[in-house]
Structures are given as C-alpha cells and as structure tokens.
Amino acid sequence: MTKHSPAKRVEELRRELEHHEYLYYVLDRPEISDTDFDRLMRELRDLEEAHADLRSPDSPTQRVGGQPREGFVKVPHSSPMLSLDNALNEQELREFDARVRSLLKGEPYQYVAELKLDGLSMAAYYGVGRFKQAVTRGDGRVGEDVTENARTIRSLPLRTKKDRITSESFEVRGEVVMQRRSFERLNEERDQAGLARFANPRNAAAGALRALDPSVTAARQLDYFTYFLLQDGRPLLSSHWQTLETLVAAGFKVNSHRRKCGGLDDLLEFIREWETKRDTLPYETDGVVAKIDSVEQQERLGWTSKAPRWAIAFKYPARQASTVLENIEVQVGRTGSLTPVAHLKPVNVGGVTVSRATLHNEDEIARLGVQIGDTVLIERSGDVIPKIVRVAEEGKHRRPFRMPSSCPVCGGHIVRESGEAASRCINTNCPARLRESLLHFASRRVMDIDGLGDALVDQLLARGLVHNIADLYELKLDQLLELERMGEKSASKIIHNIDDSRSQPLARLLNGLGIPFVGERTAQILADHFGSLDAIAAAPIEVLQEATEIGPKVADSIRQFFSEKRNRELIERLRTAGLSFTAPKVAKKQGLLTGLTFVLTGTLPTLSRDEAKTRIEAAGGKVAGSVSSKTSYVIAGEDAGSKLDKARGLNIPVLDEAGLFAMLDSPPDGKTQSHS
Ligand code: IVH
C-alpha cells in the first residue's frame, strides 16, 4: 500500500477526528473550529462512500445514527445493575458511616465522593479496545440493547486510547445525561412543533436513548459520564479512585468533580460545597454518591438485594415549595411571541425567594390544568427560571387564564398559527419586541456588546435614542453621557464595544437580526452555505432549502423577513455602518459532478433521498428542490410527480438511479473493486 493510500488517509482522519471529539466532548476544550471539524468529517465520509471496504462501525462518521428499528432486544447484565440507598440528611449519612465502620471492625477506610448525576445508567461493552454494545439498566437484571443509539453519543469513545486497559474485553457503566442547554433547546423546538414539553432533562434523555430511530438520539446531544470498569461483571481494578483515573486515561468521560475523602468530615465538606455550586454546572445533579474506595472492602461489605452496603447516595433536599398562583401576566418576546408568566405569592425555595415562574405557553397551562388562585408546587433547579410542577390544591375562587386577543404592550393583533404552540404579536414596531431584540442583539453569544444590558436599553428606549438595531451604530458619546449613572469611562467603553461589534462574523449578525426560527445554529449554516447576507436575502425559497437542515418553514420565514421593506432598509443601514456582510466561503469540493445541479423526485430503488443527496454533494454536485432552466439533470424514481413533467417540458435530461450511479462511476451496490 502506498503512502497516500485511501486506507492510510482514512485511518489518519479517524485518529484526528477522534482526538478532536475527545477534546470537545470529553474535555470540553476544543482546539479547532466546527467548520474545520466538519471539513475533516466530510473528507472521511467521502472516502468511506467511495471505498466500501474501508467502512467501519467505529468510524466517527457512524455517530449520525443508522437505520430505525422496530423495538429493542433484551440483554441480561453481566452482574446486576442495582440502585443505591439514599441518605436524606446528615443524620442518615452518619448512620451509614457508623454501619460501615462497625462492619469493617475498626479498619481504616476511605470514601470516593462523586456527584450524583440526574440521568439514567447504561452499560457499554468493549472488545479489543472497540465499542461493541450498550445496554440500558432496565430492571437491573435485564436491560435493552441500545447500541446504535449509544454510538451517537459523542463522549462515548468508539475506540479507547491504546493500552490503558489491558484486558481484551471489559465493560464500563455510567450515567447518560442531557445538558441543560440541549434540554432547553429541545423544549423550544417542541414548542415550535406544537409538541408537549419534556418535564426534565432525565426524561428527555431517557426518551432519546430509547428512540427507535438513532438519528433522534443523535439530535438530542446526550453525554455519557462513566464510573465503573468491570470484567465479567466484577471490578477490574482494586480501587475505585484508580478505576476513575484509568477510565480518564482510556478516553472516557468521568466527572471531574470528585474527591478522595479520608472520612465523614471530608465527605460532608464535599457535600456542602456542591449544594450551591451545582447550580453552575451545565447538567443537573441531585446529590452526591459516596463509595468505599477499596474494592476488597467493598466485597466484604457486600450487597443487600437492592443496593450495595459500600455506597450511599446523599440526596440534596428537593428545591420545591407550594405557594399561591396570584396572577398570570403575558410577556412579549423579541419575535413577538407571548409567554405567560406566573406571579406567585413570594416563597422561599432552597434559600432563594421566588415570585415568578415560567408557564411557557397555553398548551403548558392546559397540561398542568392550572388556574389563577390555585396553590401550586414550584421547583427550582440550576439557575433556570423556576417552574410549576403541578397543582397542589385547587383555589376556591379559581379562574382560568385566557390568552389576550390583543398585545398587552402595544394593543396589536395576536395570532396563533396552526401547529405552533406560541401566540404572537404581529406588530413589528411593538416596543416590547424592540427591547427584547436589542438585548438579544447585544448578548454575549450574538454581537457580544458588553455593557449594553437591561438598564441601558431601557434608558435608550425611554429617551427615544434607539428605534432599531441600526441606531446603535449612530449613538454618540455625549448622548450616552446624558444618561443616568453614566460616567465618561463607561460611556466611551460602550461606544468602543459597539464599534468593535461591527466586525463580528456574518453568522452572529444573522442570529442578531431576530428572524423567526433562525437561531445560532441555523445562522451558522446559512452563513457557511451562502457566504454573504446579500446571497441569503436574494435566495428564493427553493434555493434556501438547499442548505442542510433548512426546511420549508425556516426558508419561508427567511423569505418573509427579507421581503419586508423596513427590514431591507435596516439591512442597508447596517451595511453603511460597516458590519460584516460576507463570510469566508468554505471551499467547495471539486469532483466529477462539480458545476452540475440535480433535482431528485420519486422513490429510488436503493438510495434514500438523503443518501442520493450526500453522494451527489460528495462528488461536487448540487441538489436543488425544484426544476428550473438551471437544472442539469432530474433523477427520477418510482411515483415521480410534477417535477418529472416539468423536466420534460423544459427538455432537461432525466436519469434513473442506475444513470446516477453511472455518473458517479460507482456500481449500484455501493461497493468498489477490492484492492487486494
Ligand atoms: S453508582 C450500585 N455513581 O443513581 C451502584 N450512580 O440511585 C449504583 N447515579 O442507578 C451506581 N450518578 O443511575 C453511581 N456517580 C454515580 C451516579 C449514579 C448518578 C445514578 C445511577 C444509579 C442511581 C442510584
């Protein structure tokens, strides 16, 4: 095999991608941009497409999710996956410790303290350093085979780092969790799709792990934190601490917040420390797990039928309380969406006074069956806005909430589109929308204008200094100096920060425009695909849909935005202000089909629509949504409809799947000739 053989390059790319996945998903310390990562991934995918013999289930390309299944196969565990006994307060923890001490007859012992992650446990089996199978906890004795779904979890290594674990086959156990951000995003998407929200990240993670279609699991962005390393159902190493260190060295994700504790006092200190600090973590923790470090001592302490006698879960008190729902007020967001907010009789929940809780939308209020005047159970978790869990007691004089028919801020029309959970104020001049759009525009993940927060925006609006985002770029130092509590230093800093934001990349600007359904991710996709704001603004709906993940709804929303005169004027002012309207264009692949545009219609005999698209794009071709004079070929399958008629009308050549394969120079079964 030559130095530049595809096999060699494939292996090189896999190693490189594994390394970057590890940096990003396990260590949370990425070194390359998403675009560079995607470029490497695409090169690998192209090579695997072209060389069937080089494909492998543990390639990073396989994380996207394979074929949907009918159900899950049951698999017995190598040893029971039991639960943990709980200690609900310090006293119960002391009793546990006293029992351990007496069973170990005065011998010295150590604890390992770890956070108790609020997810679901899963076992993952490895053979010769490769991921083989994943099984859910199930009833503790028998679980379900979720291998294909687990493969999509980026922090689960498909290959372990060499020689760190010497045994041929082993099993790891750990917790599958969904980060708060992914959870929030998922619920927002469900709102937009008119689906019920998930109550908590654990339920969402459980649903994702057991989804019949692995691509659903992939989209939910799960994480896997490991804590056990077993062989034939028994610990491989003699100390738990050493197990965690070995897992880290082998490339597994292990929660970094752990501590070796010499005794109960150390353990209590760890517990106290994390009681409030846990709010700052990106995932939820509901307690601390303490395990005896020595495996030999663990074995002597043994198990009850339910749980080990060598470990305990200290549960933080639930941050819940009941209070009266006094009113429901409606807030207007930056896209005009109306959010009902609960006004509560102030109550202390885990050390914080709570007087507001979000109710999301009308469907959520209906799901909870809550009415004004009811006593409700509220819960606070992390630093997110508290939520109402359920009605604790119906109020005597309860009254149902009705979504207003006109905007509470501007009196404008309210509409609720079918299939959407949110009602919206459609007045684009609504002051509430303006305030929220300015705050969104200035926020850290968007244009990152430090210092432009609530207080300043409110003052700018009250004095009529700003009527849209373009006005920000015309603010003068002396205008700011007239504002309350504004010194020379902070005023010039703000002007400087606004100035600096002119060079923010196009994707951020696009996100900042506040086009409905165009958030951070979609903005990045659009910027990468089209390369300039003008190209996006000019693109017809079908062309917009040529970008990955852009469906008709998003495309329509973008079209509508740019078709409004006031938005076009705004864009021109931003152009004059010198904001970045172009993105460095990702180099397009040169291939057999470079310069050709294809339209797919009907059902092809072997390829799915997506597979055909991937292959065409991999060869440098473009796939468009509708037939026009610019179409080079139409690929038609069974039940092809109007697109085929249109192609014939325009005299555009029509090919079947075999014709496409011929152009791709690859036989229909997708295999290339063997190299041996
Ligand atoms: S040890 C028999 N460690 O909590 C050993 N479990 O209440 C049990 N959990 O089923 C597992 N974080 O799903 C362990 N650091 C941690 C954990 C943890 C969360 C979950 C796990 C377990 C449940 C027991």
Side-chain angles (χ1 to χ4, degrees):
M1 212 160 259
T2 64
K3 195 167 161 236
H4 299 292
S5 72
K8 188 148 187 203
R9 181 65 186 147
V10 161
E11 186 49 28
E12 236 171 54
L13 285 165
R14 284 183 190 158
R15 288 214 177 281
E16 209 170 326
L17 284 159
E18 277 168 5
H19 176 65
H20 290 297
E21 280 189 328
Y22 178 71
L23 290 173
Y24 189 105
Y25 295 101
V26 177
L27 300 185
D28 206 5
R29 238 177 21 223
E31 281 177 6
I32 61 171
S33 69
D34 290 1
T35 321
D36 287 342
F37 183 87
D38 291 346
R39 201 170 297 150
L40 293 172
M41 187 66 93
R42 184 170 278 250
E43 186 186 345
L44 177 58
R45 200 175 296 135
D46 290 350
L47 280 168
E48 289 176 353
E49 284 278 338
H51 303 274
D53 54 326
L54 296 179
R55 293 176 200 164
S56 154
D58 35 56
S59 169
T61 55
Q62 300 308 300
R63 298 244 198 224
V64 288
Q67 291 297 312
R69 278 134 313 151
E70 308 258 295
F72 294 104
V73 175
K74 298 248 188 285
V75 183
H77 288 299
S78 60
S79 61
M81 281 180 86
L82 297 187
S83 178
L84 290 170
D85 283 332
N86 289 332
L88 299 179
N89 50 47
E90 193 176 318
Q91 180 53 28
E92 291 183 9
L93 194 66
R94 287 188 186 281
E95 284 163 15
F96 165 79
D97 182 59
R99 213 158 44 236
V100 167
R101 193 166 338 117
S102 105
L103 286 167
L104 291 178
K105 303 195 172 64
E107 259 176 47
Y109 55 89
Q110 287 189 313
Y111 288 113
V112 174
E114 296 163 27
L115 295 181
K116 186 173 187 303
L117 305 174
D118 198 13
L120 56 148
S121 45
M122 181 180 87
Y125 291 86
Y126 285 76
V128 249
R130 286 160 197 270
F131 169 66
K132 292 281 176 240
Q133 190 180 35
V135 186
T136 61
R137 176 169 181 264
D139 65 5
R141 287 182 165 72
V142 177
E144 287 177 322
D145 185 325
V146 288
T147 308
E148 293 315 314
N149 291 354
R151 211 188 288 289
T152 70
I153 304 176
R154 304 296 181 120
S155 49
L156 176 145
L158 297 177
R159 299 196 290 189
T160 57
K161 293 196 190 274
K162 272 211 156 43
D163 302 333
R164 297 310 176 135
I165 302 173
T166 44
S167 44
E168 277 257 312
S169 58
F170 61 87
E171 172 188 356
V172 299
R173 289 183 183 178
E175 208 68 5
V176 174
V177 300
M178 185 182 282
Q179 299 216 349
R180 285 195 188 114
R181 260 190 72 196
S182 307
F183 171 70
E184 296 297 334
R185 187 158 56 211
L186 171 65
N187 267 345
E188 276 162 28
E189 281 168 19
R190 292 181 69 89
D191 281 348
Q192 284 177 5
L195 297 168
R197 309 184 123 239
F198 279 108
N200 54 49
R202 178 158 35 93
N203 290 1
L209 192 60
R210 297 189 67 257
L212 290 172
D213 181 352
S215 64
V216 170
T217 319
R220 301 268 179 98
Q221 301 180 319
L222 300 175
D223 221 339
Y224 185 47
F225 287 95
T226 57
Y227 43 71
F228 285 142
L229 172 57
L230 311 174
Q231 188 171 33
D232 302 322
R234 299 196 46 198
L236 188 63
L237 305 174
S238 59
S239 123
H240 183 62
W241 186 259
Q242 199 194 333
T243 296
L244 298 178
E245 305 271 280
T246 306
L247 286 168
V248 171
F252 289 94
K253 189 160 185 168
V254 177
N255 196 281
S256 56
H257 310 302
R258 57 179 185 271
R259 189 175 299 162
K260 215 186 226 174
C261 299
L264 189 65
D265 289 341
D266 284 359
L267 185 56
L268 283 167
E269 197 182 297
F270 183 84
I271 289 172
R272 283 189 203 113
E273 201 178 302
W274 282 99
E275 169 138 30
T276 48
K277 253 195 351 201
R278 67 192 170 118
D279 281 349
T280 61
L281 295 172
Y283 39 80
E284 296 206 359
T285 42
D286 53 352
V288 167
V289 179
K291 296 168 186 164
I292 290 288
D293 184 39
S294 152
V295 169
E296 190 268 320
Q297 286 179 330
Q298 287 181 1
E299 279 169 358
R300 264 188 288 139
L301 289 162
W303 306 67
T304 67
S305 62
K306 273 186 30 254
R309 286 200 198 86
W310 46 266
I312 187 105
F314 178 89
K315 287 275 209 81
Y316 288 119
R319 291 185 290 195
Q320 290 186 334
S322 320
T323 188
V324 178
L325 172 62
E326 293 180 327
N327 199 6
I328 297 179
E329 185 202 70
V330 174
Q331 271 178 9
V332 186
R334 66 184 164 87
T335 57
S337 61
L338 303 192
T339 309
V341 177
H343 285 227
L344 305 160
K345 186 164 172 220
V347 61
N348 184 305
V349 190
V352 172
T353 304
V354 171
S355 55
R356 297 263 191 284
T358 167
L359 279 162
H360 302 294
N361 52 50
E362 277 177 293
D363 291 350
E364 178 73 357
I365 295 176
R367 187 184 71 82
L368 292 165
V370 67
Q371 296 195 4
I372 299 163
D374 287 351
T375 298
V376 291
L377 184 68
I378 56 169
E379 182 178 82
R380 189 169 71 78
S381 77
D383 42 13
V384 294
I385 307 167
K387 64 177 184 200
I388 296 184
V389 183
R390 61 181 163 81
V391 174
E393 200 189 330
E394 292 184 3
K396 272 211 191 82
H397 307 289
R398 67 201 304 247
R399 64 188 163 90
F401 164 78
R402 297 241 180 283
M403 193 54 99
S405 53
S406 57
C407 173
V409 178
C410 71
H413 260 320
I414 298 295
V415 291
R416 180 173 172 181
E417 306 261 357
S418 66
E420 262 193 55
S423 305
R424 283 178 208 283
C425 162
I426 56 169
N427 171 17
T428 44
N429 288 315
C430 175
R433 290 182 60 165
L434 176 56
R435 177 179 191 274
E436 298 307 315
S437 350
L438 289 168
L439 288 170
H440 169 71
F441 187 78
S443 63
R444 200 175 50 82
R445 299 183 73 92
V446 187
M447 297 301 271
D448 194 17
I449 308 178
D450 202 22
L452 190 59
D454 286 63
L456 181 56
V457 166
D458 284 340
Q459 288 202 65
L460 293 174
L461 290 173
R463 292 182 181 238
L465 291 174
V466 171
H467 301 98
N468 55 43
I469 52 180
D471 288 345
L472 291 173
Y473 294 95
E474 284 174 21
L475 281 174
K476 302 275 173 304
L477 188 66
D478 30 318
Q479 289 176 315
L480 290 189
L481 283 172
E482 281 171 23
L483 304 178
E484 283 161 40
R485 284 185 299 277
M486 180 66 74
E488 181 107 22
K489 209 162 147 199
S490 25
S492 56
K493 222 188 217 149
I494 287 163
I495 296 283
H496 174 81
N497 293 345
I498 293 176
D499 252 352
D500 264 7
S501 75
R502 291 178 216 255
S503 56
Q504 287 288 10
L506 174 62
R508 282 179 176 248
L509 170 60
L510 261 174
N511 182 7
L513 292 176
I515 307 170
F517 306 120
V518 178
E520 194 174 317
R521 185 179 164 82
T522 309
Q524 188 66 57
I525 291 172
L526 289 167
D528 287 347
H529 187 96
F530 292 100
S532 80
L533 190 62
D534 294 325
I536 299 166
I541 293 209
E542 312 80 66
V543 176
L544 287 167
Q545 286 185 65
E546 285 165 20
T548 7
E549 290 180 34
I550 310 289
K553 192 162 152 182
V554 182
D556 189 52
S557 169
I558 299 169
R559 228 10 314 110
Q560 259 192 35
F561 179 89
F562 288 107
S563 64
E564 269 181 42
K565 188 162 161 266
R566 46 182 267 126
N567 290 334
R568 284 203 308 268
E569 285 166 4
L570 182 78
I571 301 288
E572 285 321 307
R573 287 190 56 210
L574 293 173
R575 190 197 306 276
T576 317
L579 276 77
S580 305
F581 273 32
T582 53
K585 200 152 172 118
V586 181
K588 274 267 152 43
K589 243 193 84 80
Q590 288 292 312
L592 282 168
L593 307 186
T594 301
L596 300 178
T597 302
F598 292 75
V599 171
L600 300 163
T601 175
T603 314
L604 301 177
T606 70
L607 293 178
S608 72
R609 196 63 79 84
D610 276 347
E611 283 165 349
K613 186 165 184 244
T614 312
R615 289 200 183 203
I616 293 169
E617 288 174 351
K622 269 184 26 178
V623 176
S626 67
V627 179
S628 73
S629 58
K630 296 203 185 99
T631 309
S632 321
Y633 292 92
V634 168
I635 310 294
E638 212 170 309
D639 294 328
S642 61
K643 291 183 193 173
L644 184 56
D645 299 336
K646 188 156 178 202
R648 294 208 170 108
L650 291 169
N651 254 340
I652 289 164
V654 177
L655 300 175
D656 59 4
E657 188 186 78
L660 173 64
F661 280 125
M663 290 191 81
L664 288 163
D665 199 20
S666 133
D669 64 357
K671 292 199 180 82
T672 49
Q673 277 174 341
S674 162
H675 292 284
S676 54

